[in-house]
Amino acid sequence: MENPFLIGERIYLRPLAEADLDRCLRWINDPEILFTLGRRFPMSRTLEREWLASRYKSENELSLALVLKDGDRHIGNCGFNEIDRGNRRAVFGILIGESERWGCGYAPEAARLLLRFGFTELNLHRISLEVYSHNMRARRAYEKAGFVHEGTMRESYFRNGRYHDTLIMGILKSEWKDDGPALPE
Ligand SMILES: CC(C)(COP(=O)(O)OP(=O)(O)OC[C@H]1O[C@@H](n2cnc3c(N)ncnc32)[C@H](O)[C@@H]1OP(=O)(O)O)[C@@H](O)C(=O)NCCC(=O)NCCS
């Protein structure tokens, strides 16, 4: 493992590096992924580099590479946006860029690592996310990690000629079940 930050059973999360940029750019510009993230325009390499640099300047955001322990393969990214210390909440985000790795349970595993970090290290009270209603795979993955459906912003996302709903999902610290190893004293 190279520079691990959070370690799970099959995956680990580490800081993103310059060498990851081209991979990230390929994923973010994949039309199928673009749709799920609500982006309409492709990302340039220059902008992607600026994005990466900005993510590590602020303690209000956390971006990590999701890496398979087996073969040390970087297959996606995940993290927190908008870490709000006053209200003790953050917004969770994830993308697995290599589509042949979808459906293997890696996103729920990464989400559990970040929920644990958020609740036990950042002292968050609430972690939430937004997902488009048609993204059944993401909805299911988030449910498996413990997020519950809290509400729906009806017809809030226009794509492919029609409106889609946006679901708000969230988890409170009081609802979170820690299934990780005992924390050190
Ligand atoms: C969405 C994403 C994060 C899910 O991660 P993942 O690691 O593939 O998730 P999982 O392996 O847990 O698989 C998803 C679950 O959805 C289920 N599923 C897949 N397609 C489904 C569908 N059309 N309807 C219902 N359930 C579906 C799978 O069966 C699996 O559930 P199970 O384990 O109970 O059988 C990942 O596929 C991804 O990054 N996709 C592209 C980008 C994206 O959508 N990001 C999220 C933006 S909100």
Side-chain angles (χ1 to χ4, degrees), residues 32-33 36-37 94-97 101-108 129-132 134-142 144:
E32 199 176 351
I33 293 179
T36 68
L37 302 180
I94 190 160
L95 106 82
I96 294 183
R101 306 293 181 169
W102 294 351
C104 304
Y106 295 129
L129 59 89
E130 290 186 6
V131 56
Y132 300 123
H134 60 273
N135 195 345
M136 299 302 294
R137 183 180 284 110
R139 288 168 62 176
R140 178 77 191 117
Y142 298 145
K144 287 196 289 179

Side-chain angles (χ1 to χ4, degrees), residues 80 83 88-90 118-119 122-127 173:
F80 290 131
I83 300 171
R88 293 173 47 213
R89 65 185 188 204
F119 289 132
L122 300 180
N123 196 19
L124 296 177
H125 171 66
R126 169 187 163 77
I127 298 173
K173 184 170 184 184

Side-chain angles (χ1 to χ4, degrees), residues 59-61 83-89 121-122 124:
E59 288 232 320
N60 297 331
E61 287 156 336
I83 300 171
D84 174 344
R85 310 275 169 188
N87 294 304
R88 293 173 47 213
R89 65 185 188 204
E121 296 298 335
L122 300 180
L124 296 177

Side-chain angles (χ1 to χ4, degrees), residues 45-114:
R45 199 171 195 289
T46 310
L47 274 182
E48 183 74 359
R49 177 181 277 121
E50 282 172 17
W51 170 81
L52 183 59
S54 72
R55 297 295 286 183
Y56 289 93
K57 281 186 187 145
S58 159
E59 288 232 320
N60 297 331
E61 287 156 336
L62 173 67
S63 291
L64 296 169
L66 192 170
V67 184
L68 298 185
K69 281 181 169 176
D70 185 14
D72 220 37
R73 279 204 59 189
H74 175 207
I75 61 160
N77 298 330
C78 58
F80 290 131
N81 300 310
E82 304 162 38
I83 300 171
D84 174 344
R85 310 275 169 188
N87 294 304
R88 293 173 47 213
R89 65 185 188 204
V91 177
F92 172 78
I94 190 160
L95 106 82
I96 294 183
E98 305 294 347
S99 56
E100 75 273 12
R101 306 293 181 169
W102 294 351
C104 304
Y106 295 129
E109 190 175 337
R112 283 190 212 102
L113 287 175
L114 275 166

